[in-house]
Amino acid sequence: GENVEQHPSTLSVQEGDSAVIKCTYSDSASNYFPWYKQELGKRPQLIIDIRSNVGEKKDQRIAVTLNKTAKHFSLHITETQPEDSAVYFCAVGSSNTGKLIFGQGTTLQVKP
Amino acid sequence: NAGVTQTPKFRVLKTGQSMTLLCAQDMNHEYMYWYRQDPGMGLRLIHYSVGEGTTAKGEVPDGYNVSRLKKQNFLLGLESAAPSQTSVYFCASSYRLGDYGYTFGSGTRLTVV
């Protein structure tokens, strides 16, 4: 089955710096790549997603890039703010399997 | 419009006891999922359903059963709880199979002692 690896497990940055989180996957049939943000004690919430026919997508300070050949995708957060501190999960899905497989999560700390 | 509602929010069980977690959604979503979240392991899929009356196994199905008798409800059962089932359980639903963002419930924190 699908295997999703996420790195790093923890990331600490200064406010205003950029943060990058990377995920790799194994199933070349996967075609949907969302990112979720989970604040402490809360539910995961979708922040951005990308489909396999697109290489990059941006939404204000957040962007996601996808390299289908290498089977990896990344979340980029620019001009980080303390409220960006949370756990971030990547996930991989496909129309064939009907389910999302999640990475292990990255705890991002933005220091003021 | 409540989205996805999970009950209960917290529960403590003794080893060997049984319980049912309820997930209800009011978005007319066809697809529903149960995940467990453990530190350092992300969200792991227990069971899922692609429509009323259907269920399928996910990554970690052992020790759990599910039922989807009504489209809006997805029940997760623990027949004989074990300490290894101590976790936070999240239900989610989606509009389209496999390639659409999930809406998550607020979670159930279960402790088995």
Side-chain angles (χ1 to χ4, degrees), chain A residues 35-80:
Chain A
W35 286 90
Y36 286 81
K37 176 183 180 182
Q38 186 180 30
E39 296 176 347
L40 190 63
K42 301 286 182 65
R43 73 193 78 189
Q45 296 206 307
L46 178 69
I47 55 172
I48 194 168
D49 58 10
I50 193 169
R51 287 172 171 79
S52 58
N53 57 346
V54 176
E56 183 174 357
K57 183 177 180 180
K58 193 172 181 179
D59 183 4
Q60 298 184 339
R61 297 186 295 107
I62 293 173
V64 56
T65 58
L66 171 65
N67 183 327
K68 280 219 75 177
T69 303
K71 296 198 198 112
H72 67 72
F73 58 110
S74 299
L75 177 70
H76 305 254
I77 306 174
T78 59
E79 300 173 18
T80 53

Side-chain angles (χ1 to χ4, degrees), chain A residues 32 36 38 43 51 89 100, chain B residues 35 37 99 101-102 104-105:
Chain A
Y32 177 63
Y36 286 81
Q38 186 180 30
R43 73 193 78 189
R51 287 172 171 79
F89 292 98
L100 285 180
Chain B
Y35 285 85
Q37 183 175 26
D99 66 352
Y102 287 1
F104 279 91

Side-chain angles (χ1 to χ4, degrees), chain A residues 4-21:
Chain A
V4 181
E5 296 288 333
Q6 182 173 345
H7 298 281
S9 57
T10 60
L11 180 59
S12 181
V13 300
Q14 285 296 132
E15 182 177 359
D17 287 350
S18 295
V20 181
I21 303 170

Side-chain angles (χ1 to χ4, degrees), chain A residues 29 31 93-98, chain B residues 97-99:
Chain A
N31 58 5
S94 82
S95 305
N96 296 332
T97 63
Chain B
L97 190 67
D99 66 352

